[in-house]
Amino acid sequence: MDEPIPVLVAGDHFVLNRLLIEALEAAGGSAAWRVRELELLWPHVPFGPVGEVVEASGSEEELIEALQGVRVCLTQMAPLTRRVLRACPELELFAVSRGGPVNADLAAAAEHGVAVTYAPGRNAASTAEHTLALMLAAMRRIPQVHASVLAGRWESSQYAYEATGLEIEGATVGLVGAGAVGARVATALTALGARVLVADPYADPAALPAGVRVVELPELLAASEVLSLHARLTPETAGLIGAAELAALPRGAVVVNCARGGLLDYRALAAALHDGQLFAAALDVYDVEPLPADHPLRGAPHLVLTPHLAGASRAVAERAARMVAAEADRWRRGEPLLHRANGGLP
């Protein structure tokens, strides 16, 4: 019988060590692995830069100590830096349970013969659901009336025509981006009776629900009573929706962003809310995070805001653990990795 492979499980308070261990045992059996644990403090302690990588939790020192004699590491936030790689020559696989391995120095890992994998699409369903939740909350102004009831008011004036909300059924909703999240949102909106338009140069119309139309961005903006952003942030999409694009929407539109803060001009968004061009906006991501005290959004009306947690669900943590455990088991069996982030390795 083969010796168990030494593996470090470096989870945190979202992707728990328990979930990673259970997923490893389900994938390869407990006898396949000799597990060592390191618990990182995120999200109770914010992530940040460590060495040359970003959005990492913990220190190089504690990871180096925990990785001694280890061949495989499963983690979400641990920092894989040049310093760590030099100090841990036995490491062969670093499996990151998030949608992008920004906490790993991919080039350095390739130089040291370490494969890095990740978990693309782990939070697509959660983010799509959060998008719909924010969209509905903004359209029906649920946070405002919730606060009113808590304050002891029972405002029948909310039935006045000008105070009432909007419906998804029959509305035209424009989606900028139709990847894993956008496609799910399109499916849900179609089921709710919306007319759905998509602007995405890479969209495959055959992969979208029946009735969804792929159009150019100007046509989408002119028709969209609700605009929801799902594009990747690239040099080409940075600042994609600014003052001119918001002005091109029908008056009284709703804007939703659960994608990336850099897609949207938030100063222009605040101005459009103040002057009534927009009925409401719902946001999970921002141009600056955390949102500063003097940010223009803080004084804008008709907003629904959440603190970048569209991808936070128990199912996401469990799915992420299964994905990296499956990659570790493929590596153990000598099979090709499905989600390798750095090339040039066998």
Side-chain angles (χ1 to χ4, degrees):
M1 183 176 177
D2 293 337
E3 287 291 318
I5 295 169
V7 55
L8 174 67
V9 168
D12 48 55
H13 292 271
F14 176 49
V15 181
L16 306 175
N17 281 354
R18 172 179 62 81
L19 298 177
L20 291 165
I21 293 168
E22 289 172 357
L24 269 178
E25 293 178 348
S30 58
W33 310 101
R34 186 168 74 248
V35 176
R36 182 182 301 170
E37 295 186 54
L38 171 66
E39 185 178 63
L40 303 172
L41 296 179
W42 188 83
H44 301 312
V45 175
F47 60 58
V50 177
E52 72 273 19
V53 302
V54 298
E55 295 188 14
S57 176
S59 68
E60 291 172 307
E61 292 79 9
E62 67 179 335
L63 186 60
I64 288 169
E65 181 180 355
L67 281 174
Q68 294 308 301
V70 165
R71 298 175 64 193
V72 176
C73 178
L74 271 59
T75 189
Q76 179 181 221
M77 293 285 183
L80 186 67
T81 64
R82 287 187 178 275
R83 181 183 172 200
V84 170
L85 288 157
R86 285 194 299 267
C88 304
E90 295 182 56
L91 183 66
E92 298 179 58
L93 176 67
F94 192 79
V96 178
S97 63
R98 61 198 297 187
V102 294
N103 52 308
D105 185 331
L106 299 181
E111 292 171 11
H112 284 263
V114 177
V116 177
T117 70
Y118 64 114
R122 68 170 193 165
N123 62 0
S126 176
T127 303
E129 290 182 9
H130 197 82
T131 298
L132 290 168
L134 288 187
M135 190 179 295
L136 287 163
M139 294 175 75
R140 302 307 292 265
R141 292 187 169 163
I142 291 172
Q144 291 90 333
V145 294
H146 167 79
S148 173
V149 173
L150 283 183
R153 298 190 296 274
W154 192 268
E155 297 179 290
S156 58
S157 61
Q158 293 295 330
Y159 250 97
Y161 179 85
E162 293 80 6
T164 54
L166 310 175
E167 292 186 4
I168 286 178
E169 183 173 0
T172 298
V173 182
L175 307 180
V176 179
V181 176
R184 284 173 167 82
V185 173
T187 298
L189 290 171
T190 300
L192 289 170
R195 296 184 293 271
V196 180
L197 305 177
V198 164
D200 185 338
Y202 306 104
D204 177 6
L208 295 170
V212 174
R213 292 177 53 223
V214 179
V215 299
E216 296 297 321
L217 182 60
E219 181 180 348
L220 180 143
L221 293 172
S224 294
E225 298 158 88
V226 181
L227 176 68
S228 188
L229 306 184
H230 302 284
R232 295 182 181 274
L233 182 60
T234 67
E236 293 72 30
T237 61
L240 182 66
I241 305 300
E245 289 74 25
L246 295 172
L249 294 167
R251 189 166 181 82
V254 175
V255 172
V256 182
N257 188 10
C258 287
R260 289 290 182 266
L263 298 170
L264 181 58
D265 182 336
Y266 285 88
R267 188 170 297 278
L269 181 74
L273 288 162
H274 278 294
D275 69 17
Q277 168 61 11
L278 297 181
F279 177 83
L283 310 167
D284 185 55
V285 293
Y286 308 90
D287 51 346
V288 182
E289 297 181 2
L291 200 63
D294 60 351
H295 196 282
L297 285 177
R298 289 193 177 274
H302 308 311
L303 275 171
V304 182
L305 307 177
T306 55
H308 203 152
L309 49 69
S313 75
R314 294 182 181 184
V316 169
E318 294 159 5
R319 187 179 302 114
R322 291 195 299 270
M323 291 178 75
V324 290
E327 286 285 73
D329 199 52
R330 290 184 194 99
W331 174 88
R332 181 183 67 86
R333 298 195 307 266
E335 298 177 1
L337 300 170
L338 292 187
H339 306 299
R340 194 166 72 193
N342 60 339
L345 298 170

